[in-house]
Amino acid sequence: MTTATLTRTSAQRRDLGALTGMLYVLFFVASLVIAGTLGPSGTVTPYSSDAEVQAYRLKDPVTLEHLFRVLGLLQGLSALALLAFVPYLTAFVRKFGGDVRAGVVRALATVAGALLLLSASTNWVLAQIGAKAELSTYRAVADLSFITGAGPAIAALGVAVFLVAAAGRAGHALPAWVAWSGMVSGAAGVLSMSSLVAEGGSVFIPIGRFLGFAWFVALSVVLWGRGGPKNDLSGSSKLRCP
């Protein structure tokens, strides 16, 4: 093995960009922790009554205003990290699943990141209007924030995750548990889309989201540890001495 080979391999293993998948998770989880710690008690969803939404937003308007700003920042950073990770997902699927599937993964993961960024932006709008806006206006913005950051975003990302995991399984490029868990979390993510038509479908939102979080951390570590998306992640290739 030559010195050049060793240097090239070490540089590939130091590709920190592969860890953006982990940053996507860390920023979003941080926003959830802060929301649970600093936010007013209780939660509201598009299925909550007007009375519940009104009581929630008037309980502590100043705290809620600050909270929405922090959520907008952290979830916006999470969305940007996800978008930065899209090329790694795309390159992986292109290598082990073909150009067509890679294009689908790139499109869906980009859409998911854009929806999450839109959701984060509407949090900032909620901080601006706060208790001053009409309830109907507040609900419209709050519902937009919830919907864009939940069902459609999780479902789009779920399909992308399923395709990445399936490509990794077919190409023996991922540990079996990473491949299978990705396919399961992807299916749960797709089912979260049912929350748009039935309140009961909302149960798939946390399932798809948190299973997906665990999978993104695992995949991010695998890609980083094995040198990024441009290398043979199956571990089957061997370096040969000249």
Side-chain angles (χ1 to χ4, degrees):
M1 185 186 302
T2 66
T3 302
T5 301
L6 287 171
T7 302
R8 183 170 61 252
T9 302
S10 298
Q12 290 168 341
R13 289 182 179 278
R14 289 195 296 269
D15 185 1
L16 296 180
L19 296 179
T20 50
M22 186 182 297
L23 289 178
Y24 153 65
V25 175
L26 291 178
F27 281 126
F28 202 99
V29 170
S31 76
L32 297 179
V33 171
I34 290 176
T37 303
L38 302 179
S41 60
T43 58
V44 291
T45 73
Y47 290 103
S48 301
S49 66
D50 284 347
E52 290 171 328
V53 174
Q54 184 75 336
Y56 178 80
R57 73 165 180 153
L58 296 180
K59 186 177 297 183
D60 190 349
V62 175
T63 298
L64 199 58
E65 178 181 329
H66 294 321
L67 176 62
F68 281 136
R69 287 198 175 97
V70 174
L71 291 180
L73 172 63
L74 291 175
Q75 292 181 8
L77 291 173
S78 176
L80 292 176
L82 174 58
L83 291 171
F85 195 57
V86 170
Y88 289 84
L89 298 175
T90 305
F92 179 84
V93 177
R94 179 174 292 114
K95 184 176 182 65
F96 297 105
D99 289 339
V100 174
R101 290 186 182 182
V104 173
V105 167
R106 179 177 57 204
L108 288 172
T110 300
V111 166
L115 286 172
L116 182 55
L117 193 58
L118 175 59
S119 179
S121 300
T122 55
N123 277 322
W124 184 85
V125 175
L126 286 172
Q128 296 304 109
I129 63 177
K132 302 183 292 292
E134 294 289 334
L135 177 60
S136 58
T137 302
Y138 181 90
R139 286 214 66 159
V141 178
D143 289 352
L144 178 63
S145 178
F146 182 90
I147 292 299
T148 52
I154 295 173
L157 193 58
V159 177
V161 166
F162 186 93
L163 292 174
V164 174
R169 177 177 175 272
H172 304 287
L174 291 174
W177 69 271
V178 175
W180 282 109
S181 63
M183 294 169 71
V184 170
S185 67
V190 173
L191 289 174
S192 71
M193 199 72 171
S194 63
S195 64
L196 297 180
V197 295
E199 185 175 4
S202 299
V203 70
F204 293 108
I205 292 176
I207 294 174
R209 172 169 283 156
F210 289 109
L211 284 178
F213 282 167
W215 183 83
F216 266 95
V217 170
L219 180 67
S220 189
V221 171
V222 168
L223 291 178
W224 174 74
R226 295 184 181 178
K230 294 182 180 180
N231 298 321
D232 183 356
L233 303 184
S234 66
S236 61
S237 62
K238 298 181 180 179
L239 295 174
R240 295 181 174 85
C241 298

